[in-house]
């Protein structure tokens, strides 16, 4: 570790984004060091990461897991302090030793620790899009008030960030921006007939054609809810109305998203579908570092194609537009209902099409008026989970 080495906290280090982040960090040992790692239940993976990266802190979900990991860490002669629970996640997200926080916990569970990083004025590298879907207004307010740097890791938003003018200050009109264009792979069922969608399995849904990701976001990609969550994420990150955010299906996942300017120019960011590119950019911005990513070979690629998303077969995208237009807590309800429904689908207890039905039912039945605090939003989240769980027991 050199004097100028930057301390990094990784929330969700055992997941897909977490492991890709460690891969990039390991390529630059002179530039970064790991301050804290967090996982939930994959203790073997977390222990291996502790041995390799020697963090000051490791955080797990429960007390029993903490006890097991603590014993192994001691046994291995490591100085890592093992903690558990949400307060510990918030603590390691705001440590003075930490310069930047990778927010890569999946779902609304990632909100409070990501908020803690934002409030502490860290560089927040945001993979956890659900934070903005649940609490966009409060999250962006915390970023503004603390002076935190918010760097999008989601590949689409990272692409848009890269396609905006250098030194962009948030004023889209002044920058001549007309629209944002989110690209979508279309997922594994892009060409499947509506009748067949009723019978798809979790294994089929998780077999994404271009990206290797965690199971929840893989299902979200298959239903197009992922693009809906990204629409809401883009709205908050870039302060753009939904009407100025287009979604276009681009099955090759080479163009990661685009910005349309008023002179007719379209600026796009291209690259191999590998999350290490946006992760590296979030880590090193405004500089660029090696990410270990394969280079694009245009001659091998051949054609890049585009088509419209099918809202009839994939109603989740339409529900996300609807929730964003409703405002208030609608996007919090959308997210919580989706999380419960996706977990049920992955457990074999709900059909693929049932996911959209549950989200639609929650949006129709629940109070969507705006909460003014994170506690209020978490209460709405819990109420939504109870509602959908009760419906699925019928
Ligand atoms: P994953 O399931 O592979 O990993 C999730 C991580 O969160 C794990 O480290 C797990 O231990 C931790 N975790 C899960 N539940 C937790 C809880 N209740 N409390 C604390 N920690 C918990 O997920 P992923 O694919 O790495 O995705 C992480 C986030 O990044 C998601 O919000 C996803 O939408 C976003 N994202 C992922 C990708 C991708 O390519 N994987 C791309 C863009 C955005
Ligand atoms: Mg994405």
């Amino acid at each position: 570790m050199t004097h100028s080495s930057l301390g990094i906290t990784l929330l969700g280090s055992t997941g897909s984004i977490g492991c890709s982040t460690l891969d990039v960090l390991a390529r630059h040992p002179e530039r970064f060091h790991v301050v804290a790692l967090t996982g939930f239940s994959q203790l073997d993976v977390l222990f291996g990461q502790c041995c390799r990266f020697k963090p000051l802190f490791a955080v797990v979900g429960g007390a029993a897991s903490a006890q097991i990991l603590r014993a192994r860490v001691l046994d291995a002669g490591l100085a890592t302090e093992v903690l558990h629970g949400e307060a510990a996640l918030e603590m390691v997200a705001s440590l003075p030793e930490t310069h930047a926080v990778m927010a890569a916990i999946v779902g609304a569970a990632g909100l409070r620790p990501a908020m803690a990083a934002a409030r502490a004025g860290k560089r927040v590298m945001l993979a956890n899009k659900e934070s903005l879907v649940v609490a966009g207004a409060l999250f962006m307010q915390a970023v503004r008030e603390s002076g935190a740097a918010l760097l999008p890791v989601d590949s689409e938003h990272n692409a848009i960030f890269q396609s905006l003018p250098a030194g962009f200050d948030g004023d889209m009109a002044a920058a001549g921006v007309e629209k944002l264009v989110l690209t979508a792979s279309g997922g594994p069922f892009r060409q499947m007939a509506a009748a067949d969608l009723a019978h798809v399995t979790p294994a089929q849904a998780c077999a994404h054609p271009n990206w290797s990701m965690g199971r929840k976001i893989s299902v979200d990609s298959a239903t197009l809810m992922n693009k809906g969550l990204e629409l809401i994420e883009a709205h908050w990150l870039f302060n753009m109305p939904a009407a100025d955010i287009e979604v276009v299906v681009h099955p090759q996942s080479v163009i990661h998203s685009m910005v349309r300017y008023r002179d007719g120019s379209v600026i796009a960011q291209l690259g191999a579908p590998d999350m290490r590119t946006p992760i590296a950019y979030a880590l090193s911005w405004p500089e660029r570092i090696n990410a270990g990513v394969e280079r694009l070979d245009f001659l091998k690629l051949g054609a890049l194609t585009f088509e419209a998303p099918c809202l009839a077969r994939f109603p989740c995208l339409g529900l996300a537009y609807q929730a964003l237009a409703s405002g208030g807590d609608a996007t919090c309800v959308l997210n919580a209902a989706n999380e419960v429904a996706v977990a049920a689908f992955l457990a074999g207890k709900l059909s693929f099409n049932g996911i959209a039905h549950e989200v639609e039912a929650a949006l129709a039945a629940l109070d969507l008026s705006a909460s003014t605090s994170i506690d209020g939003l978490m209460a709405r989240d819990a109420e939504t989970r109870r509602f959908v769980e009760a419906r699925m027991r019928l």
Side-chain angles (χ1 to χ4, degrees):
M1 195 200 327
T2 64
H3 181 65
S4 60
S5 166
L6 299 174
I8 309 292
T9 286
L10 270 92
L11 303 170
S13 66
T14 56
S16 165
I17 293 287
C19 292
S20 294
T21 305
L22 286 172
D23 180 282
V24 176
L25 291 176
R27 294 167 193 275
H28 304 279
E30 71 304 335
R31 208 172 166 124
F32 306 108
H33 62 277
V34 175
V35 175
L37 297 172
T38 88
F40 198 63
S41 51
Q42 288 178 282
L43 294 189
D44 288 340
V45 177
L46 189 56
F47 175 67
Q49 294 178 343
C50 287
C51 292
R52 182 156 181 216
F53 293 95
K54 303 190 169 43
L56 295 177
F57 296 96
V59 183
V60 293
S65 308
Q67 212 163 8
I68 295 167
L69 184 65
R70 197 171 292 126
R72 292 183 69 180
V73 157
L74 271 176
D75 219 34
L78 298 171
T80 303
E81 190 173 332
V82 179
L83 304 170
H84 73 272
E86 201 161 55
L89 292 175
E90 294 185 42
M91 191 277 281
V92 299
S94 40
L95 286 167
E97 293 88 342
T98 294
H99 167 78
V101 175
M102 171 56 75
I105 290 173
V106 60
L111 170 59
R112 283 189 201 270
M115 266 305 261
R119 285 185 177 136
K122 304 299 184 192
R123 171 179 293 212
V124 184
M125 304 179 283
L126 190 69
N128 177 248
K129 63 192 86 186
E130 294 91 343
S131 287
L132 288 176
V133 175
V134 174
L138 293 174
F139 196 93
M140 295 309 290
Q141 187 188 344
V143 167
R144 277 194 304 275
E145 286 175 0
S146 71
L150 182 57
L151 279 296
V153 171
D154 212 347
S155 58
E156 295 77 4
H157 307 75
N158 193 274
I160 289 168
F161 182 72
Q162 294 196 42
S163 302
L164 289 168
F168 176 66
D169 65 357
D171 188 339
M172 288 287 177
V177 172
E178 251 177 19
K179 283 184 193 291
L180 306 179
V181 185
L182 291 174
T183 53
S185 70
F189 309 135
R190 181 173 60 90
Q191 294 173 305
M192 192 175 271
D196 297 330
L197 282 175
H199 312 292
V200 299
T201 65
Q204 287 174 298
C206 289
H208 196 276
N210 305 336
W211 298 93
S212 154
M213 308 181 286
R215 282 163 70 77
K216 189 259 179 184
I217 185 177
S218 295
V219 176
D220 286 346
S221 299
T223 60
L224 290 200
M225 181 58 95
N226 185 50
K227 214 46 57 180
L229 301 180
E230 291 181 353
L231 163 82
I232 300 163
E233 181 185 14
H235 164 72
W236 289 111
L237 275 174
F238 304 114
N239 191 23
M240 283 296 261
D244 292 335
I245 306 174
E246 297 173 34
V247 172
V248 57
V249 173
H250 163 47
Q252 295 81 20
S253 298
V254 167
I255 296 178
H256 297 308
S257 279
M258 308 182 255
V259 178
R260 288 184 188 277
Y261 289 87
R262 72 165 66 98
D263 62 1
S265 294
V266 180
I267 309 281
Q269 186 259 355
L270 285 70
D274 186 325
M275 288 307 294
R276 290 176 300 175
T277 295
I279 288 167
Y281 195 60
L283 278 165
S284 66
W285 171 84
E287 294 173 28
R288 289 184 187 266
I289 55 175
N290 177 26
V293 172
E294 204 177 308
R295 304 302 189 254
L296 276 186
D297 181 338
F298 290 102
L299 302 184
K300 276 202 196 128
L301 275 177
L304 300 182
T305 62
F306 305 92
E307 58 194 67
C310 178
L311 295 183
R313 281 181 304 137
F314 302 106
C316 284
L317 178 56
L319 291 169
Y321 270 103
Q322 179 196 316
L324 183 55
S326 303
D329 284 0
T331 59
C332 170
V333 167
L334 172 97
N335 179 71
N338 182 58
E339 283 192 35
V340 175
V342 169
F345 169 71
L346 284 170
K349 294 178 183 157
L350 183 69
S351 72
F352 183 78
N353 292 332
I355 297 171
H357 287 140
E358 294 309 315
V359 174
E360 189 173 16
L363 283 172
L366 295 174
D367 177 7
L368 306 177
S369 59
S371 297
T372 52
S373 67
I374 297 293
D375 286 346
L377 286 163
M378 288 289 93
R380 186 78 76 206
D381 173 281
E383 177 195 359
T384 307
R385 286 169 199 264
R386 284 193 300 274
F387 172 82
V388 176
E389 274 156 12
R391 267 177 57 92
M392 289 191 307
R393 272 198 296 275
L394 293 179

